[in-house]
Amino acid sequence: MEPKPTDALEILSVELLERHRPTANQLRLLARELVLPIGWHYLLDLTWILARTGEVAGREVLDAGAGIGLIQWHLASHGARVLSVDRGDRSRLAWHLRRRYHVTGRERRDLAPVWWTVTSPRELARTLLALWRCHLRFGPTAPGRVVLHRGDLGDLAAVASDSVDLVVSVSALEHNPPGRLPAVVRELARVLRPGGRLIATLAAAADGDWYHQPSKGWCYSEATLRAAFDLSPGVVSNFHRHDDLLAALRANRELREGLASFYRRSGANGMPWGRWDPRYQPVGVCKVKTSTG
Ligand SMILES: C[S@@+](CC[C@H](N)C(=O)[O-])C[C@H]1O[C@@H](n2cnc3c(N)ncnc32)[C@H](O)[C@@H]1O
């Protein structure tokens, strides 16, 4: 059934994994098939967002700060037309993703010819492995499409106002300082059609905003998020449970054991050197655009 569109502000509890077990399992499987490692808390983010998107087949969806992240591929698998926006260069998008999904660049520079993508024997092996896994389980193409667009979320001049049915954003907006966040949210709201939803996950702070240096991301206080997303005082949050929820996250075996191996290779990420030690936790925000903006 289509979820009722309501504003929400919620620190993501590990209980989400049990509540949305089929979705969580489906996401893990897709990540494995596409050989896309997922962030240490992303299963929570993705299940929370997908529980709120409703039917996406045939819908125009903007993935804000998409990188090569899983949600755009999941949505395209379910028939969405995804505009995938990121300031990073994804023009060398892996071959197997182009093969399984209908992917184009919004401009020529957004997607390089496919023969530019295999740059090393390791990349060739990864591509062949992913192609084999895709072949094993699915047909060659998903029903939706993904259009890559390189640009800043604070200036989406190429996207018309009121043109998008849904905006999703997975752990991306926190890479904008608190002072800049409201302008980014306003721009995302501008392109959203009235009645459409902006569903985003960011990182939560118990009290004041603070910067997590290893992941280069901000953790935002409840007050900062309420102001940036223009949430009314009537939207009830669970920030009062911040410390308990963080303790439960730290103790969660499933996320700890599922930690992707790339974390072990560097100290500059959300889980430096792969040592399970969550310092912050994800928070979900849902904002429904009213007809007055
Ligand atoms: C941690 S990654 C998450 C990527 C993806 N959402 C996923 O699920 O894997 C954050 C991404 O957000 C993008 N990003 C953050 N702020 C942005 C902005 N203002 N404009 C464009 N991209 C932005 C970054 O370039 C980066 O690719």
Side-chain angles (χ1 to χ4, degrees), residues 253-279:
R253 205 169 143 183
E254 179 175 351
L255 294 180
R256 176 163 52 85
E257 291 181 354
L259 190 65
S261 62
F262 72 83
Y263 284 110
R264 288 201 287 273
R265 284 185 229 127
S266 147
N269 59 49
M271 200 59 70
W273 303 113
R275 206 173 74 83
W276 180 254
D277 183 20
R279 293 290 164 134

Short mmCIF file of all heavy atoms in Angstrom, two decimals, residues 253-279:
data_model
loop_
_atom_site.label_atom_id
_atom_site.label_comp_id
_atom_site.label_asym_id
_atom_site.label_seq_id
_atom_site.Cartn_x
_atom_site.Cartn_y
_atom_site.Cartn_z
N ARG A 253 25.38 -6.65 15.66
CA ARG A 253 26.28 -7.64 15.08
C ARG A 253 26.16 -7.70 13.56
O ARG A 253 27.16 -7.83 12.86
CB ARG A 253 25.89 -9.00 15.68
CG ARG A 253 27.01 -9.96 15.66
CD ARG A 253 26.65 -11.15 16.47
NE ARG A 253 27.21 -12.31 15.81
CZ ARG A 253 27.06 -13.53 16.20
NH1 ARG A 253 26.34 -13.80 17.26
NH2 ARG A 253 27.60 -14.53 15.57
N GLU A 254 24.94 -7.59 13.06
CA GLU A 254 24.73 -7.71 11.61
C GLU A 254 25.52 -6.63 10.85
O GLU A 254 26.20 -6.94 9.87
CB GLU A 254 23.24 -7.60 11.31
CG GLU A 254 22.95 -7.70 9.82
CD GLU A 254 21.46 -7.70 9.50
OE1 GLU A 254 20.63 -7.80 10.43
OE2 GLU A 254 21.14 -7.60 8.30
N LEU A 255 25.43 -5.38 11.30
CA LEU A 255 26.15 -4.31 10.59
C LEU A 255 27.65 -4.46 10.79
O LEU A 255 28.44 -4.26 9.87
CB LEU A 255 25.66 -2.94 11.06
CG LEU A 255 24.21 -2.60 10.71
CD1 LEU A 255 23.84 -1.21 11.23
CD2 LEU A 255 23.97 -2.66 9.20
N ARG A 256 28.04 -4.83 12.00
CA ARG A 256 29.48 -4.99 12.29
C ARG A 256 30.07 -6.09 11.38
O ARG A 256 31.10 -5.89 10.75
CB ARG A 256 29.69 -5.35 13.76
CG ARG A 256 31.15 -5.63 14.11
CD ARG A 256 31.40 -5.57 15.61
NE ARG A 256 30.48 -6.39 16.39
CZ ARG A 256 30.63 -7.69 16.66
NH1 ARG A 256 31.68 -8.34 16.20
NH2 ARG A 256 29.73 -8.34 17.38
N GLU A 257 29.38 -7.21 11.32
CA GLU A 257 29.93 -8.33 10.53
C GLU A 257 29.83 -8.09 9.02
O GLU A 257 30.56 -8.69 8.24
CB GLU A 257 29.24 -9.64 10.93
CG GLU A 257 29.65 -10.03 12.34
CD GLU A 257 29.03 -11.34 12.82
OE1 GLU A 257 28.19 -11.90 12.09
OE2 GLU A 257 29.40 -11.77 13.93
N GLY A 258 28.92 -7.19 8.64
CA GLY A 258 28.76 -6.90 7.20
C GLY A 258 29.67 -5.76 6.72
O GLY A 258 29.57 -5.34 5.57
N LEU A 259 30.55 -5.28 7.60
CA LEU A 259 31.39 -4.12 7.24
C LEU A 259 32.21 -4.42 5.98
O LEU A 259 32.93 -5.42 5.91
CB LEU A 259 32.33 -3.80 8.41
CG LEU A 259 33.10 -2.49 8.30
CD1 LEU A 259 32.15 -1.29 8.32
CD2 LEU A 259 34.12 -2.37 9.43
N ALA A 260 32.08 -3.52 5.00
CA ALA A 260 32.76 -3.75 3.72
C ALA A 260 34.27 -3.68 3.89
O ALA A 260 34.79 -2.91 4.71
CB ALA A 260 32.29 -2.71 2.70
N SER A 261 34.97 -4.45 3.08
CA SER A 261 36.43 -4.57 3.24
C SER A 261 37.17 -3.28 2.89
O SER A 261 38.27 -3.06 3.38
CB SER A 261 36.95 -5.74 2.42
OG SER A 261 36.68 -5.50 1.07
N PHE A 262 36.57 -2.40 2.07
CA PHE A 262 37.31 -1.20 1.68
C PHE A 262 37.64 -0.31 2.88
O PHE A 262 38.60 0.46 2.85
CB PHE A 262 36.57 -0.40 0.59
CG PHE A 262 35.34 0.33 1.06
CD1 PHE A 262 35.42 1.58 1.66
CD2 PHE A 262 34.08 -0.22 0.87
CE1 PHE A 262 34.29 2.27 2.08
CE2 PHE A 262 32.93 0.44 1.29
CZ PHE A 262 33.05 1.70 1.90
N TYR A 263 36.85 -0.43 3.96
CA TYR A 263 37.13 0.41 5.14
C TYR A 263 38.51 0.10 5.73
O TYR A 263 39.14 0.96 6.32
CB TYR A 263 36.06 0.18 6.22
CG TYR A 263 34.74 0.86 5.90
CD1 TYR A 263 33.62 0.13 5.55
CD2 TYR A 263 34.62 2.24 5.95
CE1 TYR A 263 32.42 0.74 5.25
CE2 TYR A 263 33.42 2.88 5.66
CZ TYR A 263 32.33 2.12 5.31
OH TYR A 263 31.15 2.74 5.01
N ARG A 264 38.94 -1.15 5.56
CA ARG A 264 40.21 -1.55 6.17
C ARG A 264 41.43 -0.93 5.49
O ARG A 264 42.51 -0.89 6.04
CB ARG A 264 40.34 -3.09 6.12
CG ARG A 264 39.41 -3.78 7.08
CD ARG A 264 39.88 -5.19 7.39
NE ARG A 264 39.67 -6.10 6.27
CZ ARG A 264 38.54 -6.78 6.05
NH1 ARG A 264 37.53 -6.66 6.89
NH2 ARG A 264 38.41 -7.58 5.02
N ARG A 265 41.19 -0.42 4.27
CA ARG A 265 42.34 0.05 3.48
C ARG A 265 42.74 1.48 3.79
O ARG A 265 43.73 1.97 3.29
CB ARG A 265 42.00 -0.06 1.98
CG ARG A 265 42.07 -1.48 1.50
CD ARG A 265 41.87 -1.56 -0.01
NE ARG A 265 40.87 -2.58 -0.29
CZ ARG A 265 39.78 -2.41 -1.01
NH1 ARG A 265 39.51 -1.25 -1.55
NH2 ARG A 265 38.94 -3.39 -1.21
N SER A 266 41.93 2.20 4.60
CA SER A 266 42.23 3.62 4.80
C SER A 266 41.65 4.12 6.13
O SER A 266 40.73 3.52 6.69
CB SER A 266 41.63 4.39 3.62
OG SER A 266 41.20 5.65 3.97
N GLY A 267 42.22 5.23 6.59
CA GLY A 267 41.69 5.87 7.80
C GLY A 267 40.77 7.03 7.44
O GLY A 267 40.20 7.66 8.32
N ALA A 268 40.64 7.32 6.15
CA ALA A 268 39.84 8.46 5.72
C ALA A 268 38.48 8.00 5.25
O ALA A 268 38.16 8.04 4.05
CB ALA A 268 40.58 9.21 4.60
N ASN A 269 37.68 7.50 6.17
CA ASN A 269 36.32 7.06 5.84
C ASN A 269 35.50 7.02 7.13
O ASN A 269 35.99 7.37 8.20
CB ASN A 269 36.35 5.70 5.12
CG ASN A 269 37.01 4.62 5.95
OD1 ASN A 269 36.68 4.46 7.13
ND2 ASN A 269 37.94 3.87 5.36
N GLY A 270 34.25 6.58 7.00
CA GLY A 270 33.35 6.58 8.15
C GLY A 270 33.69 5.57 9.23
O GLY A 270 33.18 5.64 10.35
N MET A 271 34.55 4.62 8.89
CA MET A 271 34.95 3.60 9.88
C MET A 271 36.45 3.37 9.70
O MET A 271 36.88 2.36 9.13
CB MET A 271 34.15 2.31 9.60
CG MET A 271 34.08 1.36 10.77
SD MET A 271 33.31 2.08 12.23
CE MET A 271 31.60 2.23 11.72
N PRO A 272 37.27 4.35 10.18
CA PRO A 272 38.71 4.33 9.88
C PRO A 272 39.37 2.98 10.16
O PRO A 272 39.17 2.39 11.22
CB PRO A 272 39.28 5.42 10.78
CG PRO A 272 38.11 6.34 11.02
CD PRO A 272 36.89 5.46 11.04
N TRP A 273 40.11 2.50 9.17
CA TRP A 273 40.89 1.26 9.22
C TRP A 273 40.04 0.03 9.54
O TRP A 273 40.53 -0.99 10.01
CB TRP A 273 42.06 1.37 10.21
CG TRP A 273 42.94 2.53 9.85
CD1 TRP A 273 43.12 3.69 10.58
CD2 TRP A 273 43.73 2.69 8.66
NE1 TRP A 273 43.95 4.55 9.91
CE2 TRP A 273 44.35 3.96 8.73
CE3 TRP A 273 43.95 1.88 7.53
CZ2 TRP A 273 45.17 4.44 7.73
CZ3 TRP A 273 44.78 2.38 6.54
CH2 TRP A 273 45.38 3.63 6.65
N GLY A 274 38.72 0.15 9.28
CA GLY A 274 37.84 -1.00 9.43
C GLY A 274 37.61 -1.44 10.87
O GLY A 274 37.13 -2.55 11.09
N ARG A 275 37.95 -0.57 11.83
CA ARG A 275 37.71 -0.93 13.23
C ARG A 275 36.29 -0.50 13.59
O ARG A 275 35.96 0.69 13.48
CB ARG A 275 38.73 -0.20 14.13
CG ARG A 275 38.98 -0.93 15.44
CD ARG A 275 40.12 -0.26 16.19
NE ARG A 275 39.72 1.01 16.80
CZ ARG A 275 39.10 1.15 17.96
NH1 ARG A 275 38.80 0.18 18.65
NH2 ARG A 275 38.76 2.31 18.44
N TRP A 276 35.45 -1.46 13.96
CA TRP A 276 34.03 -1.15 14.23
C TRP A 276 33.93 -0.23 15.44
O TRP A 276 34.15 -0.64 16.59
CB TRP A 276 33.25 -2.44 14.47
CG TRP A 276 31.79 -2.19 14.76
CD1 TRP A 276 31.16 -2.28 15.97
CD2 TRP A 276 30.78 -1.79 13.82
NE1 TRP A 276 29.83 -1.98 15.85
CE2 TRP A 276 29.56 -1.67 14.53
CE3 TRP A 276 30.79 -1.51 12.45
CZ2 TRP A 276 28.37 -1.28 13.92
CZ3 TRP A 276 29.59 -1.14 11.83
CH2 TRP A 276 28.41 -1.04 12.57
N ASP A 277 33.61 1.04 15.17
CA ASP A 277 33.57 2.02 16.24
C ASP A 277 32.68 3.20 15.80
O ASP A 277 33.18 4.31 15.57
CB ASP A 277 35.01 2.51 16.53
CG ASP A 277 35.05 3.47 17.71
OD1 ASP A 277 34.10 3.48 18.53
OD2 ASP A 277 36.04 4.24 17.79
N PRO A 278 31.36 2.95 15.67
CA PRO A 278 30.49 4.02 15.17
C PRO A 278 30.53 5.26 16.08
O PRO A 278 30.32 5.15 17.28
CB PRO A 278 29.09 3.38 15.20
CG PRO A 278 29.34 1.92 15.17
CD PRO A 278 30.62 1.71 15.92
N ARG A 279 30.83 6.39 15.45
CA ARG A 279 30.93 7.66 16.20
C ARG A 279 29.70 8.54 15.99
O ARG A 279 29.54 9.55 16.65
CB ARG A 279 32.17 8.44 15.74
CG ARG A 279 33.47 7.77 16.12
CD ARG A 279 33.60 7.87 17.60
NE ARG A 279 34.58 6.97 18.14
CZ ARG A 279 35.49 7.33 19.04
NH1 ARG A 279 35.55 8.56 19.45
NH2 ARG A 279 36.32 6.44 19.52
#
